[in-house]
Amino acid sequence: MIATPLFRHLFPALLAMLLCVAPVAAQQPSAVNPTASSVTEKQLLDALKPNSTDTIAGRVSIPDVRAGNLIQPTGVEFRAYQTTTIFQVGAIAIPGMLALLALFYLIRGRVRIQGGPSAQTIVRFAWFSRFVHWMTATSFIALGLSGLNLVFGKTLLLPVIGASAFSAMSQLGKFVHDYVSFAFALGIFLMFVMWVKDNLPALRDIRWIVQFGGMLGFGHPTADRFNAGQKLMFWATILGGGTLAVSGYIMMFRPVSFAISAMQLATVVHGLTGVVLVAIILAHIYIGTVGMEGAFRAMGRGTVDLNWAKEHHSVWVEKVARKRPKDISGGPAPAPAE
Amino acid sequence: MTSFIAAVLAVVAISVGASFLLETQQQTVDKTYATSGTRVDLDPRLSGGVAPKH
Amino acid sequence: MARMKFLCDADRCIECNACVTACKNENDVPWGINRRRVVTINDGKPGERSVSMACMHCTDAPCAAVCPVDCFYTTADAVVLHSKDLCIGCGYCFYACPFGAPQYPKAANFGSRGKMDKCTYCAGGPEADNSPEEFAQYGGNRLAEGKLPLCAEMCSTKALLAGDGQIIAQIYKERVAKRGYGSGAWGWKTAYKEDIAT
Amino acid sequence: MLTKRSDTKTRRARLAHIDAHGHTPLDRRSFLRNAGMTATGLAAVGTLGAATVQKAHALPPVDLGKPTTVKKNICTHCSVGCTVTAEVQNGVWVGQEPSWDSPINRGTHCAKGAAIREIVFGDRRLKYPMKLVDGEYNKISWAQALDEISAKMLEIREKSGPESVWWLGSAKFTNEAAYLYRKMAAFWGTNSVDHQARICHSTTVAGVANTWGYGAQTNSYNDIRNSKTMIIMGGNPAEAHPVSLQHVLTGKEINRANLIVIDPRMTRTAAHATEYVRIRAGTDIPVIYGLLYHIFENGWEDKTFIEQRVHGMNDVRAEAKKWDPKTVEDVTGVPGEQLKRVAEMFAKQKPSTLIWCMGATQHTVGTANVRAYCTLLLATGNVGAPGTGANIFRGHTNVQGATDLGLDVITLPLYYGLDDNAWRHWSRVWEVDFEWLDGRFDKKPGPNNTTINYRSLPGIPSTRWFDAVTIAKDQIDQRDTLKAAIVFGHGGNTVPRMPEMMKGLAALDLLVVADPHPTNFVSLAGRKNGTYLLPIATSLECDGSRTASNRSLQWGEKIVEPIFESATDYWAIYELAKRLGFADKMFKNIAMVKGKFGDEPEAESILREINKGGFSTGYCGQSPERLKAHMKNQKHFDIVTLKANADAPAEIAGDHYGLPWPCWGTPAQRHPGTPLLYNTNLHVKDGGGTFRARFGVERMMKVKAQENGQEIEKEVKENLLAEGSYSLGSEIKDGYPEFTMAVLKKLGWDTDLTADERTTIDKIGGNNIDGVSWATDFSGGIQRVAIAHGCSPFGNAKARANAWNLPDPVPVHREPIYSPRIDLVAKYPTRPDFKSFRMTNAGFSVQKAAVDKGIGKSFPIILTSGRLVEYEGGGEETRSNRWLAELQQDMFVEIHPADAAARGIVEGGWVWVDGPENNAKIKVKALVTERVGKGVAWMPFHFGGWYQGEDQRKNYPAGTDPIVLGESVNIITTYGFDPVTAMHEGKVTLCQIRAA
């Protein structure tokens, strides 16, 4: 489904972003009657076939060089993407993830702190880290909702609330999507800078993955500040968010030198990355809230229960105890997760 | 909690800032598609506003 | 019911741009927006051909298919129109359109490109026929007066044909039969899934 | 979702017009409407900047509820003569509709015609009279402007004589305005009155008229549909006359005709040709001889035609013999095989026509080029029948009419010339005293106690006016240099050598620019005082007739009142004449109507005066009533023959559309007009004709002969009259001279004259009745009687392949002044320096200096120029039209990819183009294309407002600057003038191009 020709030509397309790709001239001796041998549409389309991201382009006198594109065959593929691919990918990824999470909840239930809450807490995230997380998170929710609206709104919402209201809402959503994106992009950048050091892969990550973090009861693998699951989430967010930002800004700023095929590609990449990331983030939200006892306060208050920390991040706790013992403090009895 | 509220405020601030900055940078097509030899009277119809209703 | 189409006979088109200015004249289209344009292929070489292109009013229009707010509609004459009140300026129709017909009042996409504008086949928009409101947003509505789009009506060499698809196809066929050559009905395969057998 | 169905009544069916295919009217039904959609739904979001394309208030739509007046006028942008149909409501031009009924354009337009409505609300128009005071333009009143202008003119007249005021008229005048302007110059006392024809087809007029009688298109655009072979040489009608291509391409398709384009540039016309021949610019004559070589060699010429109707073809044969295929290829670059193929097609697949434009005319050999073209037509017998002929596409709306009506330095209206007979004729028509007119002119003592009377001397042409300003007083053949230029409707960037024009412009005491736009005269810096700008109405705001290139006259109605403070030409000329003191005489017989600013001359009345005196060219039969009837009944004319159909109403029955001149006799005689000149297949009364007997009946020729074994030279008389050829129904079955009373008497036909006609003739002839001719008898009697006997009033002669009165009687090749082929310059030099039009034509010296300086090395690229479809002429009007200006925003130079690559020039990049004179250079954008050959560059000539890299926008009065400005090609074009008409060399010079 995803393997539309757009993807087959991902790299050539990026290279071929220059406009005015000269049409392949028909081979004609100059003395021949030019009327009889006039260039035809079919001829030009056939010539384009080896590289379907090209357009039949010619010369126009107006400064809008894109107007020189007479026929762009990739419009058909974009249409297929927009009406089918993204819809199906989204319809599989997001409800699928929700179903998976529900299934997981049914099987595993809430992951409890096995040792029970202790009286001690350990500082997990400083204020600025939490600020960045929430900035990224809230903007992602706004972007996700307004983005999903463009994919599913027409099918799900429009019949319910009517064209006028839906259009007004979508228009607003589009403005929100455009402007909020800057906060999101900034957040992604800061998160990368803050946490990349702790998210570099380590050998023990393999064990963590093999044991699936102990969540299905194969015992608790050790982890540093971030376990392999969190690292995967980090990289998904950074790469996914980064991709979204780059493709989004291409869509937004529309560099003149970009061919339509490049713009289409940006749109496709943006959309698909978007729905997939939404699905991934759903898992993140699940595990940070309903799915695991004691996890939410890491971002809520910045501190976590020491027992929770020991269970999930034993290596890290040891390091903190060694380097910054002050971060571990006897606090009040832990409150249940919000 | 403060970090969350600050984050929401930051999102709003950044978005509003971006909208102002970008809307002032926004170019209408009459300006974009005019070259050095021209003086086009910029068309108010392209820069926003709602069509006059009679 | 007539199925309205455009056909540009590239063997007649001399790139005089009458269609472009006729469109501006009829619909008072502002500078920077070209609902119709003429593209010259193989410029300066033997076999050079010019084709006047605008919205082809496709059968099963891609623009309508990809529009996230469903602002397009097809009239009984098979003309593809849209509502500017509903359009949010997302730009998807421009990417989907094989002919580059959709245009936007703003060049970059900071916030908004503005409401999409395209050839209406001189058939206005969803407002009441030939009302000032319709004219303000979409330009003239010649179809409602029983006239065809001005671009085709004013074409200097009668290269650009507008009207019922069967009739203009017939005209084109007869021309090709008479003169013995034809470089094809540009865009028909893409827009209408049809070729004119000549 | 609701489905709304509205059944708007179908008003008109349009499909029927696409081609000859019937079709039932469209039944437009319904559009979907979104449920619950309200206009206010998005108001809140709208403020966030959801820009939308809306209609400005300045342009109201057609309100279907209000009555609409439909007015017809003629497009001003070229000579095809497209009807413009305007819908007017409340005095505002609200809509433009296709003019389906016009047999010429059949509903269609080009970019300019389809955008023409813009020019009557264009806000870049000049809005009120202005005066330049110390470098600043100030608004003044019409009265003040005219008072000051006339006072200054009279002062100059007092000090320097009438010849120091130079009048430049316009091809955008109506016939009536052109005639008034010429008349005004005559009453002022000068022949220095010119217009655009000088720089577009003056050489055509001279060359063609000297070949067979009249200097105009012989056939028509419509008639090209009959051709089986068409050569378009030195023309690009796809851009210059797009609507003509409708006829050309239809003809090509219907007849499967050959369409051959011969041009240095692969134009948009060439893109539709069946054969494209690329030549080196400036080698038209060798190309024609290259064709004639094959024609004579293979005996493809039309021997009967030549024998009966052509004089001097043997001289051409001798010249053609020199141009064997090898020589031709060396000079022109065209392979012999290709020329042979073209020659065979042209000679054998008849009827054939030759179409040309400024690529032929704008040369130092312009007249000779045109003569060569005519010779090719004569040799193959392709004149005077449907589908044949010299189809000369002219420039502006009324350049044909303005030429006919004498905006020319060598003639009074309608080609009467400047001799005493001509002046006496017109003084009779004008009912002014001949002696009074004579007294208006300067005179000076000539050799041998004679007097040189400037009344009979050609004036100063528009290509050289600035030389006449700056030249030393003793170098110009008149009392003083030019001091004032009165310019009505003419751009300032139309003539080469602009750096030198700048000097002339600065040196003028008085410059008057009367134009809807300020024109390039204003943008060129240098003047601080003494410039007046007068806002003149466009042609669309003016009643009157216009003559299309095919000689058809069309009556255009004033669509709207002149906008702003603009005035019509009629009013401005009248008011100026009043202040110059001769309005009472000049407008003696012309009725006045109430105009925008008071009394103004009535167009109809002026046309009647033209009819009264216009016998020489057959401008006598087209009364305003007949022309208006034609416009009303346009749909009744056939699109091929232009003849009224059988079902036409009586008022136009039998007529040809627009009564193409010559339309003989008085309007009451109802001659139908002459759609094809010299067509012997028709009776003269139906529009037939013969070649004109203009050059006498016989010619003494020296021929070499063998007598008693010795070669001696002896004189023989060669008959110049046709032999055995005559028009249908002619009672004289042979050639005959032009008709005069003497001829009538000799034939015994004078008794056919009515008493009234006889009285008029007696009055005109005085004591020499025999001298009254078909051209001077304004009773129309002589013409009527001649036609009644089936004869052409102007005689029946041979066309001249040898025009012995011209500098090169048989065309010979001469290299352009600036030629890259120094070897060929030595072999085919330009004509020696000589005096013409009161100044020296120093072409030879310039050519020699160029060769000596090795100019071909430092300027290796041939530069030629041409037209863009979006713009016209100097371009101020069209560059101010926003719908057109958007399409061509930059002055550019077309350069071949190889030349560009060698210079590091990229598509769209800025380049400097250097010209070989005055260190001139222009900064333009590069358009890298194979349209031009290697070593050739091409530029459009419509741009202005930049000068050698500097934007001159600030020099325009506020708000009147055109939307698009750019360098003018004529800044770098160079010296060179045709010996016959002083046509400039606009098509070949040299240049160098470098990246900027």
Short mmCIF file of all heavy atoms in Angstrom, two decimals, chain C residues 47-61:
data_model
loop_
_atom_site.label_atom_id
_atom_site.label_comp_id
_atom_site.label_asym_id
_atom_site.label_seq_id
_atom_site.Cartn_x
_atom_site.Cartn_y
_atom_site.Cartn_z
N GLY C 47 8.81 20.79 -34.49
CA GLY C 47 7.84 20.08 -33.67
C GLY C 47 7.36 20.90 -32.50
O GLY C 47 6.62 20.41 -31.66
N GLU C 48 7.78 22.14 -32.42
CA GLU C 48 7.31 23.02 -31.35
C GLU C 48 5.78 23.09 -31.36
O GLU C 48 5.16 23.23 -32.41
CB GLU C 48 7.89 24.44 -31.57
CG GLU C 48 7.31 25.47 -30.62
CD GLU C 48 7.80 26.89 -30.91
OE1 GLU C 48 9.00 27.05 -31.17
OE2 GLU C 48 6.97 27.82 -30.89
N ARG C 49 5.20 22.97 -30.20
CA ARG C 49 3.76 23.08 -30.10
C ARG C 49 3.40 23.87 -28.85
O ARG C 49 4.08 23.77 -27.83
CB ARG C 49 3.10 21.70 -30.00
CG ARG C 49 2.96 20.98 -31.34
CD ARG C 49 2.04 21.74 -32.28
NE ARG C 49 1.98 21.19 -33.62
CZ ARG C 49 2.78 21.57 -34.61
NH1 ARG C 49 3.72 22.46 -34.41
NH2 ARG C 49 2.65 21.05 -35.81
N SER C 50 2.34 24.64 -28.95
CA SER C 50 1.86 25.36 -27.78
C SER C 50 0.50 24.80 -27.39
O SER C 50 -0.29 24.41 -28.25
CB SER C 50 1.72 26.84 -28.09
OG SER C 50 2.98 27.38 -28.41
N VAL C 51 0.28 24.74 -26.10
CA VAL C 51 -0.98 24.21 -25.61
C VAL C 51 -1.53 25.18 -24.56
O VAL C 51 -0.82 25.58 -23.65
CB VAL C 51 -0.78 22.82 -24.97
CG1 VAL C 51 -2.11 22.28 -24.47
CG2 VAL C 51 -0.16 21.86 -25.95
N SER C 52 -2.77 25.55 -24.73
CA SER C 52 -3.42 26.40 -23.75
C SER C 52 -4.04 25.50 -22.68
O SER C 52 -4.77 24.57 -23.00
CB SER C 52 -4.51 27.22 -24.44
OG SER C 52 -5.26 27.91 -23.47
N MET C 53 -3.68 25.77 -21.45
CA MET C 53 -4.11 24.86 -20.39
C MET C 53 -4.79 25.62 -19.26
O MET C 53 -4.37 26.71 -18.88
CB MET C 53 -2.88 24.10 -19.86
CG MET C 53 -3.20 22.97 -18.90
SD MET C 53 -4.38 21.77 -19.53
CE MET C 53 -3.33 20.71 -20.54
N ALA C 54 -5.83 25.04 -18.77
CA ALA C 54 -6.50 25.55 -17.58
C ALA C 54 -7.09 24.33 -16.89
O ALA C 54 -6.75 23.20 -17.22
CB ALA C 54 -7.60 26.53 -17.95
N CYS C 55 -7.98 24.56 -15.95
CA CYS C 55 -8.72 23.45 -15.37
C CYS C 55 -9.42 22.71 -16.50
O CYS C 55 -10.06 23.32 -17.35
CB CYS C 55 -9.75 23.97 -14.38
SG CYS C 55 -10.85 22.69 -13.77
N MET C 56 -9.28 21.39 -16.54
CA MET C 56 -9.89 20.61 -17.61
C MET C 56 -11.29 20.12 -17.21
O MET C 56 -11.96 19.46 -17.99
CB MET C 56 -9.01 19.42 -17.98
CG MET C 56 -7.73 19.81 -18.69
SD MET C 56 -7.97 20.40 -20.37
CE MET C 56 -8.15 18.85 -21.26
N HIS C 57 -11.69 20.41 -15.99
CA HIS C 57 -13.00 19.95 -15.50
C HIS C 57 -13.14 18.44 -15.69
O HIS C 57 -14.02 17.95 -16.39
CB HIS C 57 -14.12 20.75 -16.15
CG HIS C 57 -13.96 22.23 -15.88
ND1 HIS C 57 -14.44 22.82 -14.74
CD2 HIS C 57 -13.31 23.19 -16.55
CE1 HIS C 57 -14.10 24.10 -14.74
NE2 HIS C 57 -13.41 24.35 -15.82
N CYS C 58 -12.21 17.77 -15.02
CA CYS C 58 -12.05 16.32 -15.19
C CYS C 58 -13.32 15.56 -14.81
O CYS C 58 -14.07 15.96 -13.93
CB CYS C 58 -10.94 15.80 -14.28
SG CYS C 58 -9.33 16.50 -14.59
N THR C 59 -13.46 14.44 -15.47
CA THR C 59 -14.39 13.43 -14.99
C THR C 59 -13.75 12.89 -13.71
O THR C 59 -12.56 12.61 -13.71
CB THR C 59 -14.45 12.29 -16.01
OG1 THR C 59 -14.62 12.87 -17.29
CG2 THR C 59 -15.59 11.34 -15.70
N ASP C 60 -14.51 12.71 -12.65
CA ASP C 60 -13.95 12.19 -11.41
C ASP C 60 -12.71 13.00 -11.01
O ASP C 60 -11.60 12.50 -10.97
CB ASP C 60 -13.59 10.72 -11.59
CG ASP C 60 -13.13 10.09 -10.28
OD1 ASP C 60 -13.45 10.67 -9.23
OD2 ASP C 60 -12.44 9.06 -10.33
N ALA C 61 -12.93 14.27 -10.73
CA ALA C 61 -11.84 15.23 -10.56
C ALA C 61 -10.95 14.90 -9.37
O ALA C 61 -11.45 14.72 -8.26
CB ALA C 61 -12.40 16.62 -10.42
#
